[in-house]
């Protein structure tokens, strides 16, 4: 009888230890990439959004958007518009962006860490952010819908 008790209590202890170490029910980090390219009127655009998420919620979005044109005036106009759009977020911690022109290519990069950013600040800057931000979080399905509505194709990458 004592042997059985020791066996089962030992088995139970090992089972609990395995669950603790492996993190049964732990959060799973995944990623998805949404892309779109166009070429109209000698202007080539390429959009790439890398979305990291845990369970159903976005943790980080990194985007790279490019515009290629032999007309520098067009690139400068795009740059002014993009910088104007992002200028409101200039002092928001964990919202990083960069816009530059090299040769005949404008590149805009954005990195938003949704695990750390103050989402209330994002809503304060632009109430339209409320279409995505609910209770301080963004659902993966919602952001995917936004990108797909812009013509992007989204694929799970992990």
């Amino acid at each position: 009888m004592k042997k059985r008790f020791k066996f089962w209590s030992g088995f139970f202890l090992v089972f609990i230890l395995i669950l603790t170490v492996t993190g049964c029910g732990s959060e799973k980090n995944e990623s998805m990439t949404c892309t779109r390219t166009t070429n109209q009127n000698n202007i080539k655009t390429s959009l790439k959004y890398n979305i990291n998420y845990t369970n159903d919620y976005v943790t980080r979005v990194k985007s790279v958007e490019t515009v290629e044109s032999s007309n520098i005036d067009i690139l400068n106009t795009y740059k002014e518009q993009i910088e104007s759009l992002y200028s409101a977020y200039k002092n928001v911690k964990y919202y990083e962006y960069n816009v530059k022109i090299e040769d005949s290519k404008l590149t805009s990069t954005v990195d938003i860490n949704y695990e750390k950013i103050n989402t209330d600040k994002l809503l304060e800057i632009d109430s339209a952010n409320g279409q995505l931000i609910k209770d301080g979080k963004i659902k993966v399905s919602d952001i995917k819908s936004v990108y797909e509505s812009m013509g992007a194709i989204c694929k799970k990458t992990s």
Side-chain angles (χ1 to χ4, degrees):
M1 181 81 159
K2 282 186 175 185
K3 285 183 180 181
R4 280 190 184 173
F5 179 76
K6 283 183 180 181
F7 171 78
W8 286 111
S9 63
F11 176 79
F12 182 74
L13 193 58
V14 169
F15 179 73
I16 295 297
L17 182 63
I18 289 171
L19 287 179
T20 304
V21 170
T22 60
C24 181
S26 67
E27 299 174 342
K28 185 177 179 186
N29 297 321
E30 299 179 89
S31 61
M32 172 176 47
T33 300
C34 299
T35 57
R36 177 179 183 223
T37 57
T38 62
N39 195 348
Q40 295 178 330
N41 302 323
N42 294 322
I43 301 172
K44 182 180 178 185
T45 60
S46 175
L47 312 173
K48 183 177 181 180
Y49 305 99
N50 292 315
I51 302 109
N52 294 321
Y53 58 97
T54 301
N55 298 327
D56 293 332
Y57 295 99
V58 175
T59 57
R60 186 175 215 135
V61 174
K62 292 182 179 183
S63 68
V64 177
E65 302 172 333
T66 62
V67 179
E68 294 180 58
S69 174
S70 58
N71 186 332
I72 191 66
D73 292 333
I74 289 173
L75 295 178
N76 283 326
T77 300
Y78 271 100
K79 185 177 183 198
E80 288 173 18
Q81 291 173 346
I82 293 168
E83 286 176 335
S84 175
L85 175 72
Y86 291 137
S87 66
Y89 301 94
K90 184 177 184 176
N91 295 317
V92 177
K93 199 172 183 180
Y94 306 111
Y95 192 114
E96 299 174 17
Y97 68 90
N98 184 38
V99 183
K100 64 183 176 184
I101 296 175
E102 291 179 344
D103 300 324
S104 60
K105 185 177 186 178
L106 175 140
T107 304
S108 169
T109 58
V110 179
D111 183 359
I112 308 168
N113 185 334
Y114 285 105
E115 287 183 305
K116 297 181 178 181
I117 201 164
N118 181 346
T119 53
D120 290 336
K121 183 75 172 167
L122 298 180
L123 293 169
E124 184 181 304
I125 291 169
D126 186 351
S127 61
N129 288 322
Q131 294 175 358
L132 284 176
I133 301 170
K134 308 274 193 286
D135 297 323
K137 297 180 180 182
I138 297 177
K139 284 190 143 190
V140 175
S141 58
D142 291 343
I143 203 165
K144 181 180 178 190
S145 292
V146 168
Y147 292 144
E148 287 179 336
S149 73
M150 298 182 335
I153 297 171
C154 299
K155 295 181 180 178
K156 194 172 177 179
T157 53
S158 65

